[in-house]
Amino acid sequence: MKYLKDYNDGDRVFDIYLCKHKVSAVTKNGKPYESLILQDKTGTIDAKVWDPSSAGIAEFSALDYIEVYGDVTSFQGALQVNVKRIRKCREGEFNPDDYLPVSKYNIEDMFEELTTYIGKLENKYLKQLLKAFFMEDKEFIRVFKLSSAAKTVHHGFVGGLLQHTLGVVRLCDYYCNAYPLLNRDLLICAAICHDIGKTREISLFPQNDYTDEGQFLGHIMIGTEMVADKIREIEGFPVTLASELKHCILAHHGEYEFGSPKKPAIIEAVALNFADNTDAKLQTFTEILENSTETGWMGFNRLFDSNLKRTKAE
């Protein structure tokens, strides 16, 4: 098969892909069309079926594997498939492993690095808490390794949650060296735990969609509850330390308008907020650059509230 990352403007598509998302819509002129997101392990691409009533468009649903025939065009700096024909595929016609986007970094290597940070902690309560999640809870470990960090914005792939968590931990480790006032054990523990709620907020691939619990509570509240549940199992866990750790998780989005139930009130919460935002924003920009064919200005991006441009190498 030809992977989505290998397509360029003007190419012809004739292969099998996972239909990750499907929605019916209407143009400004009142003509119905269907908007799709096609996926393979290298990423996703937007696709449009401008004539869904055509005889060449078979019946299919989201999460079906479909054979797509169409043309690749460039729209506002991103590739898009103009679909002409679709056929729903049967089991045996495709290998599901070809359709799950996976981190470019080795998952086991990343997890091993993450556990080395746990081993370096000196606070016995925080170390015991992290061991309960990342060394003793086999089901949590399995799901954590497979989880994405988001549906689409950043790290939206298998291993994405692990990659993002490790990125945040590395930044926090640097902060601790640069700003010795930071409580290293508290900050590193908070960094490792800050997004564990996403293991229950977002379902695993191929769905990679919000669960009912995720819709109702969100990963910040879920993660805080998960940490609180484990803390109750650890005899003698200091009350103030528990509150400081939970506060870091609750405040890691920094602002109320970004979904943070609390604003940072301790220096470790400020550091975690900056590290989380840095890793998320730079990964988002990286993915924008990797998925764009534009060599100059790429158009306005709502997340950055700016017209973005690729750096020009001299």
Side-chain angles (χ1 to χ4, degrees):
M1 65 178 292
K2 184 170 183 177
Y3 292 117
L4 295 175
K5 72 176 181 62
D6 297 324
Y7 282 109
N8 297 300
D9 186 12
D11 285 349
R12 178 66 51 85
V13 177
F14 191 30
D15 221 319
I16 297 173
Y17 299 101
L18 173 67
C19 178
K20 181 178 181 180
H21 182 72
K22 176 185 179 183
V23 62
S24 298
V26 179
T27 67
K28 293 180 180 179
N29 297 327
K31 184 179 179 181
Y33 71 96
E34 291 177 343
S35 182
L36 316 177
I37 295 178
L38 305 178
Q39 175 180 294
D40 67 19
K41 68 179 183 180
T42 66
T44 61
I45 191 170
D46 186 45
K48 295 291 188 289
V49 182
W50 296 113
D51 190 7
S53 61
S54 168
I57 306 298
E59 291 291 328
F60 69 99
S61 303
L63 301 183
D64 282 340
Y65 290 89
I66 56 177
E67 184 179 64
V68 177
Y69 176 82
D71 299 313
V72 179
T73 60
S74 180
F75 179 71
Q76 293 184 345
L79 295 180
Q80 184 180 96
V81 179
N82 184 1
V83 178
K84 304 298 179 62
R85 296 201 302 270
I86 288 178
R87 178 180 67 85
K88 182 178 176 180
C89 299
R90 301 179 299 274
E91 286 191 26
E93 293 188 77
F94 52 86
N95 180 0
D97 291 343
D98 289 328
Y99 299 90
L100 301 183
V102 181
S103 171
K104 65 178 70 174
Y105 304 104
N106 184 277
I107 289 177
E108 295 305 323
D109 289 346
M110 287 192 292
F111 190 77
E112 182 178 356
E113 182 180 346
L114 189 68
T115 58
T116 62
Y117 285 98
I118 298 175
K120 295 176 182 177
L121 294 188
E122 296 180 358
N123 184 285
K124 66 177 184 178
Y125 298 105
L126 296 177
K127 180 178 285 190
Q128 187 175 347
L129 171 67
L130 291 178
K131 283 184 174 180
F133 279 116
F134 293 90
M135 295 181 183
E136 300 168 4
D137 191 333
K138 302 303 181 183
E139 179 59 17
F140 170 82
I141 293 170
R142 183 189 73 84
V143 175
F144 184 82
K145 289 179 178 179
L146 295 175
S147 292
S148 70
K151 282 184 62 177
T152 56
V153 179
H154 68 90
H155 297 90
F157 42 77
V158 175
L161 177 57
L162 172 56
Q163 182 178 322
H164 171 58
T165 300
L166 184 57
V168 173
V169 171
R170 288 169 175 166
L171 287 169
C172 287
D173 185 51
Y174 165 76
Y175 291 163
C176 290
N177 292 326
Y179 304 96
L181 188 61
L182 288 164
N183 182 322
R184 177 183 291 273
D185 281 8
L186 174 60
L187 181 54
I188 295 299
C189 182
I192 294 174
C193 290
H194 83 284
D195 267 354
I196 61 173
K198 289 187 176 180
T199 59
R200 286 162 41 181
E201 180 189 40
I202 302 174
S203 59
L204 298 180
F205 279 95
Q207 288 86 359
N208 193 47
D209 203 354
Y210 290 109
T211 63
D212 286 346
E213 185 180 17
Q215 293 280 16
F216 282 126
L217 300 180
H219 73 278
I220 294 178
M221 289 302 301
I222 295 171
T224 305
E225 289 182 343
M226 291 170 67
V227 166
D229 289 342
K230 291 290 187 185
I231 285 176
R232 280 192 286 270
E233 298 174 4
I234 300 174
E235 184 177 356
F237 200 107
V239 175
T240 299
L241 180 61
S243 294
E244 289 172 341
L245 176 59
K246 288 185 283 186
H247 173 76
C248 287
I249 298 171
L250 288 170
H252 80 262
H253 277 196
E255 301 289 343
Y256 298 135
E257 56 264 39
F258 298 149
S260 197
K262 296 292 292 183
K263 285 192 173 186
I266 58 177
I267 190 171
E268 291 78 15
V270 173
L272 177 60
N273 168 236
F274 287 151
D276 177 59
N277 192 44
T278 296
D279 189 69
K281 289 287 181 63
L282 290 181
Q283 176 66 23
T284 299
F285 212 127
T286 297
E287 293 176 15
I288 290 172
L289 292 173
E290 291 177 344
N291 294 321
S292 175
T293 58
E294 293 292 337
T295 57
W297 291 102
M298 297 180 293
F300 184 81
N301 182 278
R302 287 185 297 175
L303 179 65
F304 291 96
D305 194 27
S306 176
N307 187 17
L308 305 183
K309 184 180 183 296
R310 187 183 299 274
T311 305
K312 183 178 180 181
E314 296 295 339

